[in-house]
Amino acid sequence: MLHFIVNGKGGSGKAAKTWEKVRRILEREGVDYLTHETTRPGEATQIARGLTGGDAAEESVKLVVVGGDGTVNEVLNGVDDFSRFSLGLVPTGSGNDFARGLGIPKSTGRAMGLILSSAEGKLIDIGRAVTEINPRGTYFGISAGIGMDAIVCKKAGNSSRLKKFLNKLRLGQLTYIILTVKTLFSMTTETVSLRFDGGDEEHQENLIFLAGMNVKTEGGGVCMAPGADTQDGRLSLCMASGIPRWKTFLDLPFLVKGKHARLKGFALRDFKTLEVSCENPVVLHCDGEYNGDVRHIKFECVPGTLRMML
């Protein structure tokens, strides 16, 4: 039995059209399935929790998301027991960084082919961000971070009209580009303390952004961490600090293409845990979703946790 979570309003209606294609494939192949359609934020979390909780009837739950990165994040944070859970994805969002990071094709037919032919699946790492306002932590499949990219994610969530308009033109990625430029020249930089893998404390001034990456890209294809690997038991740091914001603006094309490793002010580094302390509350995002304004964050890799139908 396959369970499907369908975000019918996702991708400005694209998800609903994609679901019709998926449904026809399932009926043609004679696959048993149940559909769970979401109608409001947070509902995918509740559905996943209901399917994988202690009172759930099925010993092995196979759940497929027909939607985008936000729906995947909701599902991850609803799974009660990852040991008996498998996730499939038919991407319909505007960013699709999780699908991109795992090599899941945009083609509905090819994505369904991976799911239906998956036997053992593939175990991958996920990340978790623990804060003073959420000590249990928030899981993420793509990335979590503070600074410029987190502020952009918060603004994108509040700029639904712009995002919907650009999505209809199939220019959804422009939402993040426009907001990134505006944010870069209006934000204030931060002073933070960092502790990698329980080591000595390091200080960074004029922090522009810091991201813990599980896959290579975020923001609809921006290659923040070219060396990220979902099966190495580590997250990949991408950080910009100590340089003028105008210099960061000029470096953005290199960041988009993943050519920023040797640029002054940028740092790339792998880690298992990273503890961050900030002088002032900062915006935190997980998979592009706003996760509050916080002062203390622990980013950690949760290795080999999520079984993907690949």
Side-chain angles (χ1 to χ4, degrees), residues 128-155:
R128 179 165 52 204
V130 179
T131 69
E132 68 270 25
I133 64 175
N134 186 5
R136 293 185 62 184
T138 301
Y139 289 116
F140 58 91
I142 301 165
S143 66
I146 60 174
M148 180 182 70
D149 59 330
I151 298 170
V152 168
C153 290
K154 183 178 180 180
K155 288 182 177 179

Side-chain angles (χ1 to χ4, degrees), residues 5-7 10-11 15 18 64-72 89-93 96 99:
I5 285 184
V6 182
N7 179 6
T18 300
V64 179
V65 168
V66 180
D69 294 332
T71 306
V72 171
L89 175 60
V90 180
T92 66
N96 294 325

Side-chain angles (χ1 to χ4, degrees), residues 263-282:
L263 295 179
K264 181 180 178 181
F266 287 84
L268 299 176
R269 177 174 176 177
D270 291 344
F271 64 89
K272 294 180 180 178
T273 64
L274 170 58
E275 298 172 65
V276 181
S277 297
C278 311
E279 288 189 349
N280 304 298
V282 296

Side-chain angles (χ1 to χ4, degrees), residues 79-253:
V79 176
D80 186 67
D81 183 358
F82 281 99
S83 68
R84 58 189 188 89
F85 175 77
S86 298
L87 177 66
L89 175 60
V90 180
T92 66
S94 57
N96 294 325
D97 287 295
F98 190 62
R100 183 181 291 107
L102 296 176
I104 297 173
K106 292 182 180 180
S107 163
T108 300
R110 291 175 60 199
M112 282 299 297
L114 288 178
I115 292 166
L116 296 179
S117 64
S118 174
E120 294 298 319
K122 177 181 179 181
L123 284 173
I124 67 166
D125 309 331
I126 55 176
R128 179 165 52 204
V130 179
T131 69
E132 68 270 25
I133 64 175
N134 186 5
R136 293 185 62 184
T138 301
Y139 289 116
F140 58 91
I142 301 165
S143 66
I146 60 174
M148 180 182 70
D149 59 330
I151 298 170
V152 168
C153 290
K154 183 178 180 180
K155 288 182 177 179
N158 293 330
S159 302
S160 57
R161 293 173 67 181
L162 172 64
K163 192 173 182 180
K164 287 180 180 178
F165 173 73
L166 291 174
N167 280 347
K168 288 181 179 179
L169 299 178
R170 298 189 176 182
L171 296 173
Q173 291 178 338
L174 281 179
T175 305
Y176 296 95
I177 294 173
I178 293 169
L179 292 176
T180 294
V181 174
K182 290 177 64 176
T183 299
L184 182 59
F185 289 104
S186 63
M187 65 176 288
T188 57
T189 57
E190 303 292 338
T191 298
V192 300
S193 297
L194 312 176
R195 191 186 301 274
F196 291 92
D197 297 329
D200 295 334
E201 195 169 66
E202 305 174 18
H203 296 278
Q204 291 287 339
E205 296 183 353
N206 297 321
L207 177 78
I208 297 171
F209 68 81
L210 179 156
M213 304 291 300
N214 189 42
V215 296
K216 291 178 172 58
T217 69
E218 68 173 21
V222 178
C223 193
M224 304 277 280
D229 184 343
T230 58
Q231 291 185 294
D232 64 355
R234 294 174 176 271
L235 298 176
S236 295
L237 170 78
C238 180
M239 179 173 68
S241 63
I243 54 176
R245 286 176 291 177
W246 63 264
K247 176 69 165 54
T248 308
F249 173 73
L250 295 179
D251 289 338
L252 285 176

Side-chain angles (χ1 to χ4, degrees), residues 45-58 60-63 75 78-82 84-86:
T45 297
Q46 296 177 356
I47 294 169
R49 185 171 293 126
L51 291 173
T52 63
D55 296 331
E58 296 180 49
S60 178
V61 177
K62 294 185 176 182
L63 176 63
V75 167
V79 176
D80 186 67
D81 183 358
F82 281 99
R84 58 189 188 89
F85 175 77
S86 298

